[in-house]
Amino acid sequence: MAPYDLVIRGGTVVTAADQSDCDIGVRDGRIVALGAGLDAGGREIDATGKLVLPGGIDSHCHIEQVSGMGIMCADDFHSGTVAAAHGGTTTIIPFAVQQRGESLRRAVDDYRQLGDAKAVIDFAVHMIITDPTEHVLGQELPALIHDGYTSFKVYMTYDGTKLDDYQMLDVLSAARREGAMTMIHAENWDMIRWLTRRLLDGGNRAPKFHAISHAQIAEGEATNRAIALGRLVDTPLLIVHVSAEEAMEEIRLAQSRGLKVYGETCPQYLFLTIDDLDRKGMEGAMFCCSPPPRDKAGQEAIWRGLQTGIFQVVSSDHAPYRFDATGKLKAGPNPSFKEIANGVPGIELRLPLLFSEGVGKSRIDLQRFVDLTATAAAKIYGLYPRKGTIAVGSDADLAIWDPDRRVTVNAAMLHDNTGYTPYEGMELTGWPVTVVSRGRVVIDHGELNADRGSGEFLPCAKSDHAKPLQRLAMELDPKRNFGARILF
Ligand code: URP
Ligand code: ZN
Ligand code: ZN
């Protein structure tokens, strides 16, 4: 009997730390050997001339989720995970949303069932907390964390989801107590709705005004406030989908003060600009997401943030709405910017875009690519080292890349249900030709080979990244921080 179920032979194996030419031996879904000249496997893959990377982890994507506007997104756990796998991603972490008045446990259990039934790759689940009652934070949250749901997102914006600062403090201190990671959508809702009203009153309805209403200042202010709230209770946090340079600068400042503040950005802020929202007719609706893409200089700033380490994670924030009456145009063929579903697709192209334009154009190296797209997310959300790296004992979640494969992006080649891509026509170099999930070859030269429901739920551990610092002696001095005096 062959000692390995699968051997991947002759590739260049890349992790966030280093790279080396070696074979990978896989048994029972796990990596059991790394080295030259491994014995034969039940199945062999020749990776000569290819890069073997950890499968991507998309730690922020919206799958089978109803939006704040009440629109079901276009992808369920099947189409979403199939698309992810085709793009080299082997783990996703979408969101179970608690509606106001609803039990958090109920929201998570219902959502988990959808994933169990349909996912073709492994998945964990973040929570979205919109109703942080004493019962939710005191009873439900600790039990859910115990069950492997160790991270949640909160919103500082939108009528249906927004928490006020008082609620944010309740949530952040619960996260501190329980060791959970808090993800924050940081935009100042009052600024946005004030601008929206004035824009609409002035007859400014076109998609591009979405970007004007979601002003950079609104993102920067809320980011600053989120960091201050986290500081008051000494709790780590992660600012999601950062698009504005001034929000990024707030994160940089916090990091330079030694705070555990993490930053995530997304392809839409690296590859799109406000000009895309200004395309003819309603086409700009395809690019409306929150926060919105900024101008060219802002886009370059976000690239600098990747290069200088301000951002730890590049996720897709895949939020797929079709460009028709089921999605973007649900309010009619000519909606005002306020009525357009927020979000862009990107679950399949996240890795190829960053590989081609980041690694291929020497903006980041391969180690940073792996860290940004897999390893850091695994660490931050408590999946490491099972996921996010190539090591003996880790799950055999691998993407074998042809670094020279040239691909012209078009919507028809993609596998999600959105029906369009914001990246139509882009010429990319580098593509994941074979993708392995827990030892199963799920994508073989573009062909899917994975059953519905074959993906497994991943319970997340409490991550070290979510541990409070308790080192800011000066800040914890009761004379300086009255919040700290009450808490500790
Ligand atoms: O526009 C976006 N990003 N839609 C998805 C929901 C969110 O806030 O991440
Ligand atoms: Zn958000
Ligand atoms: Zn999102």
Side-chain angles (χ1 to χ4, degrees):
M1 196 178 79
Y4 308 114
D5 304 327
L6 171 69
V7 173
I8 298 169
R9 208 174 283 286
T12 299
V13 175
V14 184
T15 68
D18 52 25
Q19 63 191 64
S20 63
D21 293 340
C22 70
D23 306 336
I24 301 177
V26 175
R27 194 167 50 233
D28 297 331
R30 296 202 169 205
I31 297 169
V32 292
L34 291 164
L38 294 187
D39 288 347
R43 177 166 180 181
E44 297 259 332
I45 295 177
D46 179 9
T48 310
K50 308 278 197 311
L51 301 170
V52 186
L53 272 50
I57 298 178
D58 195 341
S59 57
H60 181 162
C61 50
H62 302 274
I63 302 292
E64 212 154 342
Q65 183 190 320
V66 177
S67 78
M69 291 180 187
I71 305 176
M72 174 52 94
C73 71
D75 282 310
D76 68 2
F77 266 96
H78 188 254
S79 60
T81 54
V82 167
H86 276 280
T89 288
T90 51
T91 298
I92 62 163
I93 320 184
F95 298 88
V97 188
Q98 177 209 25
Q99 304 299 335
R100 289 205 176 126
E102 189 191 18
S103 139
L104 186 59
R105 164 65 72 181
R106 176 77 191 270
V108 169
D109 286 351
D110 288 353
Y111 194 64
R112 163 80 186 277
Q113 278 183 19
L114 301 173
D116 285 341
K118 300 180 202 169
V120 303
I121 55 170
D122 294 350
F123 66 99
V125 172
H126 302 298
M127 301 170 281
I128 289 178
I129 299 179
T130 63
D131 201 358
T133 61
E134 245 179 78
H135 178 72
V136 167
L137 298 184
Q139 309 292 319
E140 293 195 309
L141 186 64
L144 284 159
I145 289 171
H146 177 264
D147 292 348
Y149 305 95
T150 60
S151 50
F152 57 80
K153 181 178 174 187
V154 287
Y155 286 76
M156 298 170 80
T157 193
Y158 301 133
D159 280 329
T161 50
K162 177 186 179 300
L163 304 188
D164 63 26
D165 291 352
Y166 192 97
Q167 292 173 307
M168 288 283 291
L169 287 168
D170 276 348
V171 159
L172 286 163
S173 55
R176 182 186 205 280
R177 186 188 68 225
E178 304 300 335
M181 176 56 77
T182 308
M183 308 160 77
I184 300 183
H185 181 135
E187 289 186 286
N188 181 314
W189 182 228
D190 284 329
M191 286 186 189
I192 292 168
R193 63 196 191 91
W194 188 88
L195 286 166
T196 299
R197 164 54 71 85
R198 267 143 195 84
L199 286 163
L200 291 176
D201 284 353
N204 301 298
R205 295 169 47 86
K208 73 173 171 196
F209 293 106
H210 170 77
I212 301 197
S213 68
H214 285 250
Q216 294 217 43
I217 299 171
E219 193 185 339
E221 186 282 328
T223 302
N224 174 295
R225 187 156 35 97
I227 292 168
L229 296 168
R231 246 179 89 199
L232 188 75
V233 295
D234 188 29
T235 305
L237 50 88
L238 182 142
I239 307 290
V240 293
H241 49 47
V242 175
S243 82
E245 183 176 4
E246 58 182 88
M248 181 182 97
E249 285 304 316
E250 297 289 351
I251 296 168
R252 187 183 59 74
L253 185 63
Q255 291 169 347
S256 72
R257 288 172 158 177
L259 296 168
K260 280 177 142 181
V261 171
Y262 306 104
E264 170 204 89
T265 193
C266 314
Q268 46 273 39
Y269 311 124
L270 296 165
F271 300 101
L272 305 176
T273 68
I274 186 170
D275 293 343
D276 291 303
L277 280 81
D278 197 19
R279 294 199 193 185
K280 69 174 186 328
M282 282 310 296
E283 264 181 47
M286 291 193 267
F287 303 87
C288 284
C289 57
S290 299
R294 308 294 178 181
D295 62 11
K296 194 72 194 158
Q299 186 192 74
E300 279 161 18
I302 298 296
W303 274 108
R304 278 200 303 282
L306 280 192
Q307 291 169 310
T308 56
I310 299 171
F311 296 113
Q312 287 67 50
V313 175
V314 174
S315 72
S316 69
D317 193 9
H318 180 74
Y321 301 101
R322 295 180 66 83
F323 189 58
D324 63 23
T326 67
K328 292 281 184 186
L329 306 180
K330 187 143 189 190
N334 192 23
S336 75
F337 70 85
K338 189 186 168 198
E339 299 166 310
I340 296 167
N342 280 202
V344 293
I347 203 164
E348 187 164 347
L349 290 175
R350 175 182 71 114
L351 296 172
L353 284 165
L354 192 62
F355 186 93
S356 177
E357 303 308 294
V359 179
K361 304 238 165 106
S362 300
R363 287 167 160 137
I364 55 172
D365 64 17
L366 270 171
Q367 277 63 48
R368 182 98 178 103
F369 175 79
V370 169
D371 202 29
L372 284 165
T373 57
T375 313
K379 289 179 177 169
I380 288 172
Y381 297 117
L383 290 170
Y384 189 84
R386 177 173 176 191
K387 301 292 187 187
T389 194
I390 299 177
V392 170
S394 295
D395 281 0
D397 282 11
L398 305 161
I400 303 176
W401 285 73
D402 178 346
D404 303 317
R405 167 81 63 94
R406 295 174 73 87
V407 173
T408 304
V409 172
N410 68 87
M413 64 181 258
L414 300 175
H415 298 83
D416 63 270
N417 277 336
T418 320
Y420 78 90
T421 168
Y423 311 103
E424 184 78 33
M426 275 186 74
E427 310 261 351
L428 303 181
T429 304
W431 197 263
V433 285
T434 304
V435 179
V436 177
S437 162
R438 262 183 300 104
R440 305 168 299 143
V441 181
V442 290
I443 304 292
D444 196 356
H445 293 87
E447 293 300 314
L448 175 74
N449 184 17
D451 293 334
R452 271 173 111 80
S454 58
E456 283 183 2
F457 169 71
L458 300 165
C460 295
K462 292 183 189 181
S463 113
D464 282 349
H465 288 71
K467 285 199 180 125
L469 282 166
Q470 288 187 316
R471 58 162 284 274
L472 297 173
M474 199 174 70
E475 294 221 340
L476 294 177
D477 177 345
K479 289 194 288 299
R480 308 277 308 242
N481 183 344
F482 294 101
R485 183 164 72 185
I486 294 159
L487 281 171
F488 312 115

